[in-house]
Amino acid sequence: MPREFPAWCSVYYYFHRWSHDGTWERLHHLLRSRLREKCGRHKQPTAGCLDSQSVKCSAVPGQRGFDAGKKINGRKRHILVDILGLLLTVVVTVPVYRTVTVLACCSVICRAGAKD
């Protein structure tokens, strides 16, 4: 780590704490809302784009599946962005789930984040 940062254990402590108490999500939501308003858009997105990508996994144990379409053994990551390309949510699944199921999951996550 660069010298300007405090000791790694302090940095990790706050990163871990803020990850679990939702500080990073609230900060991301606030910054995305302000940037959307600065671009002349409503702070809450009304449209988005969902994309998925199959990713090979290492031999480390964990959940993974087989994507028959791409012939890849691993996981599938789904990313939902608004029309400005700003990140709304990321979901990692095994390739067994269909995009429709993931889309429903993403919409629930986005609606929950919009209530804040």
Side-chain angles (χ1 to χ4, degrees):
M1 286 183 36
R3 291 183 182 186
E4 296 82 26
F5 288 125
W8 73 268
C9 54
S10 298
V11 173
Y12 181 76
Y13 169 77
Y14 284 105
F15 174 77
H16 188 268
R17 181 176 169 190
W18 293 349
S19 294
H20 287 285
D21 71 5
T23 301
W24 289 121
E25 288 183 40
R26 287 192 304 275
L27 181 62
H28 180 260
H29 178 70
L30 177 68
L31 292 173
R32 184 184 65 234
S33 298
R34 287 187 180 174
L35 183 58
R36 287 183 58 81
E37 287 176 337
K38 189 174 181 178
C39 291
R41 302 235 176 231
H42 189 271
K43 67 179 185 177
Q44 295 297 329
T46 56
C49 180
L50 179 68
D51 192 19
S52 63
Q53 180 180 22
S54 297
V55 183
K56 290 182 181 179
C57 287
S58 63
V60 177
Q63 284 190 331
R64 61 178 170 223
F66 185 72
D67 185 352
K70 301 215 176 177
K71 297 184 177 33
I72 292 179
N73 188 15
R75 294 183 183 99
K76 202 165 192 178
R77 59 181 169 214
H78 308 269
I79 299 175
L80 182 63
V81 296
D82 67 1
I83 59 172
L84 296 175
L86 302 173
L87 186 67
L88 295 174
T89 190
V90 176
V91 178
V92 178
T93 64
V94 293
V96 177
Y97 295 108
R98 295 181 164 239
T99 304
V100 176
T101 306
V102 174
L103 181 59
C105 178
C106 288
S107 67
V108 169
I109 291 170
C110 288
R111 274 188 252 129
K115 292 178 184 176
D116 295 341

